[in-house]
Amino acid sequence: MRTTRSVDSVQFLPFLTTDINNLSWMSYGALKGDGTLIFVNATGAVLQTAYILVYLHYCPRKRPVLLQTATLLGVLLLGFGYFWLLVPNLEARLRQLGLFCSVFTISMYLSPLADLAKIIQTRSTQRLSFPLTIATLLTSASWTLYGFRRGDPYIMVPNLPGVLTSVIRLWLFWKYSQEQDRNHLLLQT
């Protein structure tokens, strides 16, 4: 974004859902007393928030971005209010918050596939980030193993779609190689 001073080839939704996801898991980690969950997700939330601010800086149409951000923050605040004020039982709160976090994790992993039809139609993976795909694969596989090791299905199960969607994206990179992307660009000029 800084190089091109543009957000044209960058998807916003995956980073917004990841930020909300980090904040939710940080809360789950605090409730469980899991320092690893707290540290990793606090770091992720800071980085994702910085990304959102940079995106907002370079985005020509700020209103839709601010509206999406405000909507998801509102959902997050309502969720926190519910879990911390209306669910007094610690075990019930942990289960419900785990389920809430799981839903956000799954949405985070599925959001890059929103452009799947466009990718197949254009036979181009320009809308996808290869480094992000690799990072997602490694991260989701790590969290799946961590959840398995801790015996926590709320961590393990929702990270499995991350592994699956990363494999799908890697397959798309293989199927629509860089050569096809260059041909697609030549056709557009």
Side-chain angles (χ1 to χ4, degrees):
M1 286 185 293
R2 285 189 54 203
T3 306
T4 63
R5 301 207 176 279
S6 168
V7 296
D8 290 341
S9 64
V10 180
Q11 295 179 16
F12 177 69
L13 189 59
F15 292 95
L16 179 60
T17 57
T18 302
D19 197 13
I20 300 300
N21 189 52
N22 287 137
L23 293 169
S24 299
W25 281 111
M26 189 174 67
S27 180
Y28 181 79
L31 193 58
K32 273 194 98 158
D34 187 328
T36 301
L37 278 174
I38 295 168
F39 177 76
V40 169
N41 287 291
T43 303
V46 168
L47 293 172
Q48 296 302 326
T49 300
Y51 173 84
I52 288 170
L53 293 173
V54 170
Y55 188 97
L56 191 58
H57 176 72
Y58 291 112
C59 180
R61 294 180 359 166
K62 294 179 181 5
R63 186 178 172 96
V65 171
L66 289 171
L67 187 61
Q68 286 178 335
T69 304
T71 300
L72 276 178
L73 282 175
V75 169
L76 183 68
L77 289 174
L78 285 171
F80 284 149
Y82 170 77
F83 293 120
W84 294 103
L85 300 173
L86 299 176
V87 183
N89 180 310
L90 183 64
E91 281 303 312
R93 187 183 312 160
L94 196 57
R95 280 192 312 275
Q96 290 179 19
L97 184 56
L99 185 59
F100 181 81
C101 290
S102 296
V103 168
F104 260 99
T105 299
I106 291 169
S107 71
M108 177 193 70
Y109 286 137
L110 294 179
S111 62
L113 294 180
D115 286 332
L116 188 61
K118 192 74 162 174
I119 291 165
I120 292 170
Q121 179 186 21
T122 62
R123 297 181 183 275
S124 172
T125 57
Q126 277 191 303
R127 295 174 165 270
L128 295 176
S129 165
F130 187 77
L132 183 60
T133 299
I134 297 299
T136 300
L137 177 63
L138 295 174
T139 304
S140 57
S142 297
W143 280 116
T144 299
L145 293 173
Y146 182 77
F148 180 75
R149 184 176 165 264
R150 300 285 294 198
D152 191 330
Y154 295 114
I155 297 172
M156 182 179 52
V157 173
N159 283 287
L160 289 171
V163 174
L164 179 64
T165 59
S166 295
V167 169
I168 291 169
R169 286 184 283 166
L170 287 172
W171 178 77
L172 289 169
F173 279 110
W174 172 78
K175 182 161 177 67
Y176 306 121
S177 65
Q178 293 289 9
E179 184 63 36
Q180 288 177 322
D181 275 351
R182 273 186 285 227
N183 291 340
H184 175 71
L185 285 177
L186 288 174
L187 290 174
Q188 287 187 332
T189 56

